[in-house]
Amino acid sequence: QQQVKQSPQSLIVQKGGIPIINCAYENTAFDYFPWYQQFPGKGPALLIAIRPDVSEKKEGRFTISFNKSAKQFSLHIMDSQPGDSATYFCAASMQTGGGADGLTFGKGTHLIIQP
Amino acid sequence: DTAVSQTPKYLVTQMGNDKSIKCEQNLGHDTMYWYKQDSKKFLKIMFSYNNKELIINETVPNRFSPKSPDKAHLNLHINSLELGDSAVYFCASRLAGGPDTQYFGPGTRLTVL
């Protein structure tokens, strides 16, 4: 059973465009929703994260939109650049339990920003 | 001064062998994790460990065992390696009760021949 579903699997956007990656979760006990960015040969790195008590969070060019009733959240990248080309993972966890269960990841989106 | 480090970066071995991957974090964190990333890049939690409790993902074979000599280290031991164990293994850490960010190591690419 996949608890976090991510789409699309791959995405190609022109420079300056706004790629949007969507995730849906099933477990209502999740209370922390991070996005990770991974470059080839590197470990995932936290990009931005949100808790279910807010509907939107912005950090620089990255925005998370969160819809608690629909159990969905999405990542928007404004003014995308070729350097943003990477694999993006959404994730979810139960931080109130101390995070002991770790992160449940979506399957990833391979994003290419064309110059 | 790498926050989370893993050795080796690459590990090539024969089926049936026993191998270990080392992980060290210098962030003062008290919770550490091991994740497996398969050939399709899917990341899956294997273990989480703090100084009190080891939580094992039920799908992980008992050939895999984490060992923590101290709070800064969580090593992964794998016995009787199988072809299906080939993957990239990531160590991560966080501070329980602190910021929720998990910091990942650079990964160890394990290839079983």
Side-chain angles (χ1 to χ4, degrees):
Chain A
Q1 179 187 10
Q2 185 187 348
Q3 294 198 54
V4 179
K5 295 182 179 179
Q6 183 172 347
S7 63
Q9 186 174 356
S10 61
L11 184 58
I12 300 174
V13 172
Q14 294 293 317
K15 177 184 173 182
I18 305 175
I20 300 173
I21 305 171
N22 301 298
C23 283
Y25 62 98
E26 299 168 8
N27 188 345
T28 55
F30 287 144
D31 60 3
Y32 175 68
F33 302 90
W35 285 88
Y36 278 79
Q37 180 187 55
Q38 185 180 27
F39 292 105
K42 304 293 186 183
L46 179 70
L47 200 57
I48 186 173
I50 198 168
R51 292 194 176 280
D53 53 346
V54 297
S55 60
E56 185 175 278
K57 183 174 181 180
K58 290 183 181 180
E59 286 186 4
R61 296 184 294 110
F62 301 93
T63 299
I64 299 179
S65 298
F66 187 85
N67 185 329
K68 187 175 181 179
S69 60
K71 293 188 288 184
Q72 295 175 347
F73 58 110
S74 61
L75 176 70
H76 296 60
I77 305 175
M78 309 301 288
D79 187 27
S80 58
Q81 301 296 315
D84 296 328
S85 298
T87 300
Y88 292 80
F89 294 93
C90 63
S93 69
M94 290 175 278
Q95 294 298 303
T96 50
D101 291 338
L103 294 164
T104 299
F105 282 91
K107 290 195 171 183
T109 296
H110 183 214
L111 174 65
I112 297 174
I113 307 298
Q114 291 184 331
Chain B
D1 45 338
T2 306
V4 181
S5 60
Q6 295 178 227
T7 54
K9 186 164 178 64
Y10 301 97
L11 183 55
V12 181
T13 188
Q14 298 288 328
M15 255 190 337
N17 284 350
D18 302 337
K19 290 294 178 185
S20 295
I21 304 172
K22 295 185 177 181
C23 176
E24 177 181 3
Q25 54 92 7
N26 61 6
L27 298 166
H29 289 170
D30 54 9
T31 303
M32 297 182 72
Y33 307 85
W34 277 103
Y35 290 85
K36 178 180 180 180
Q37 186 170 47
D38 63 22
S39 59
K40 295 185 179 180
K41 293 205 166 184
F42 184 47
L43 276 159
K44 192 170 184 180
I45 182 76
M46 299 177 70
F47 304 100
S48 70
Y49 181 77
N50 60 27
N51 57 0
K52 301 174 186 174
E53 186 179 16
L54 171 66
I55 296 179
I56 303 171
N57 185 310
E58 61 187 13
T59 65
V60 175
N62 58 14
R63 299 180 293 102
F64 290 78
S65 59
K67 290 194 170 50
S68 180
D70 54 56
K71 282 178 62 174
H73 296 82
L74 183 66
N75 304 324
L76 182 65
H77 297 270
I78 316 169
N79 295 325
S80 303
L81 278 156
E82 300 178 357
L83 293 176
D85 297 333
S86 296
V88 181
Y89 293 84
F90 288 99
C91 176
S93 71
R94 72 177 288 262
L95 184 63
D100 297 329
T101 306
Q102 284 193 25
Y103 293 85
F104 282 76
T108 295
R109 180 174 293 277
L110 171 65
T111 303
V112 182
L113 303 174

